[in-house]
Every structure is written in C-alpha cells, then in structure tokens.
Amino acid sequence: MKEIKDKSVVTFLDELASKQATPGGGSAAAVMGAQSAALTSMVCNLTIGKPKYAEVEAEMQALLAESEALRSTLIGMIKADVDVFDKLMACYGLPKSTEQEKEHRTEQIQAVLKEATIVPLECAKACAKAIKLSRTAAEKGNLGVISDAGVAVMAGYAGLKSAALNVHINAASLKDRAFADSRLAELQEIMAGADVEAEDVYLIVNNKL
C-alpha cells in the first residue's frame, strides 16, 4: 500500500473528503507546513545563481538547506498523524466486558492520547519554523517570485493554527493534567508572536508587489 506522501494530490484530497477517519486535519496541517517549506525552497532556487542576487547567494543556499530539511520533516508528519490516530481508534475498539478489560482499555487510550498530543505539537513547532524561514525569502528573495514567499508564510501559519487545534482536542481528553498542561504551555510558547510574524512577512511581500 502506498504511503500518503507517494499518492497523487487528487487521491489525497479524495481520501481527506471521504468518510474514513484518516487522513484528517492533522495530516492536512502537516501538508500545509510542507507546502510552506517547499515554497521557501522555490524562492531560494530561483534566487541562487542570479547575478542580481549575488550578495545574498550564500544566505539563500543556507536557507534552502534549512527549508528542504524542514520539508522532509513535515512530510514525515503526514503519516505520523495517520498512524497515531489509527492506533487510538484501535484502543477504543479494545474489549470492555470486565473491569480488568475496562481498566486496560482506559490505560491504553490514555497512553496513546499522549502520543496524539505530541505529534501535532511537533507539527506546530515545525510550522512555526516554516514561518520564520519564509521571512528571509520575503526579504531577500527574487522579486519575480516574491509572491510565493507570501504564500509560504500563509501556508505555514495555517499549518501552525491547524496543528494547535489538534493539540488542544487531544490534551482535553487526558487524565494526566500535569502532562496536558505542560504540553499546552509549550504550544503557547511556540505560538507566541506567530500571528504578528506572519502578518509582518505578508506585508513585506505585499509591499514589494
């Protein structure tokens, strides 16, 4: 069976729209982040080697390396979201006829819910990085494709906000409130200033059009 990353965009969207639970919003958030990184890479690739942008050549090459590494990370997160959700659904399907079975089922669900909180948290972190990387592309990239840097920041921001929703919904079901609260605090740190940063980058691009 093909992994999601190896399927066509149309197939992915068909599966996203279907009655099946996965892929869902978590995978979509990772795709948004991966698109952001890819667009930053595009701006870099169309800036590198241009005599007009020789002064920023080294910086664009370094940015390209970062954005490509980030894109790879986010692509992996598309499947990670599906895997943890499927694992959670399997736990909900465990037998619950006896008290022992109920206790075991609850323990398994709670353990996987922790994983299901961490996966989108890592996605949010990656999307926040995508936003930051897009700034350099917007500030120093080839003006001929500068609008793509604007799309990059918006995709990264959408991915961040979307991943955050998945952190919240899973953290809300956790009985270990210390774990949940620490992850929510981490998410708050990740998101701090992201809205301002995204808008700043968007305006940098818009002002160059």
Side-chain angles (χ1 to χ4, degrees), residues 23-204:
S27 292
V31 169
M32 293 173 200
Q35 287 178 316
S36 175
L39 284 164
T40 292
S41 293
M42 174 188 175
V43 175
C44 290
N45 279 318
L46 289 170
T47 304
I48 293 168
K50 305 288 185 183
K52 183 178 178 181
Y53 300 98
E55 289 185 2
V56 297
E57 174 96 9
E59 196 168 356
M60 288 292 104
Q61 287 179 337
L63 178 60
L64 178 60
E66 280 194 85
S67 60
E68 283 299 275
L70 184 61
R71 179 161 70 100
S72 179
T73 296
L74 282 155
I75 288 172
M77 289 178 178
I78 300 169
K79 184 176 184 294
D81 180 79
V82 170
D83 288 347
V84 76
F85 190 86
D86 287 346
K87 191 175 176 181
L88 183 60
M89 289 302 99
C91 290
Y92 279 117
L94 290 172
K96 49 181 177 177
S97 301
T98 67
E99 286 304 314
Q100 188 175 7
E101 286 178 344
K102 288 178 181 177
E103 185 178 341
H104 175 70
R105 178 177 177 272
T106 298
E107 287 176 356
Q108 292 301 305
I109 288 171
Q110 287 297 310
V112 178
L113 274 171
K114 287 184 176 181
E115 292 181 44
T117 300
I118 292 171
V119 168
L121 182 63
E122 290 301 310
C123 182
K125 191 182 298 183
C127 288
K129 184 175 181 180
I131 292 171
K132 291 179 180 177
L133 294 184
S134 70
R135 174 180 279 275
T136 303
E139 290 176 338
K140 302 180 180 182
N142 186 333
L143 291 175
V145 289
I146 204 66
S147 60
D148 294 292
V151 179
V153 73
M154 289 294 99
Y157 185 61
L160 170 60
K161 297 284 279 189
S162 301
L165 293 175
N166 285 286
V167 175
H168 280 289
I169 195 170
N170 291 320
S173 298
L174 285 170
K175 293 184 177 181
D176 185 345
R177 295 318 303 167
F179 178 92
D181 290 344
S182 68
R183 296 309 181 274
L184 290 171
E186 187 177 349
L187 176 64
Q188 190 171 8
E189 286 183 18
I190 292 168
M191 297 188 72
D195 52 346
V196 174
E197 176 74 0
E199 183 62 18
D200 281 352
V201 177
Y202 183 86
L203 289 175
I204 287 169

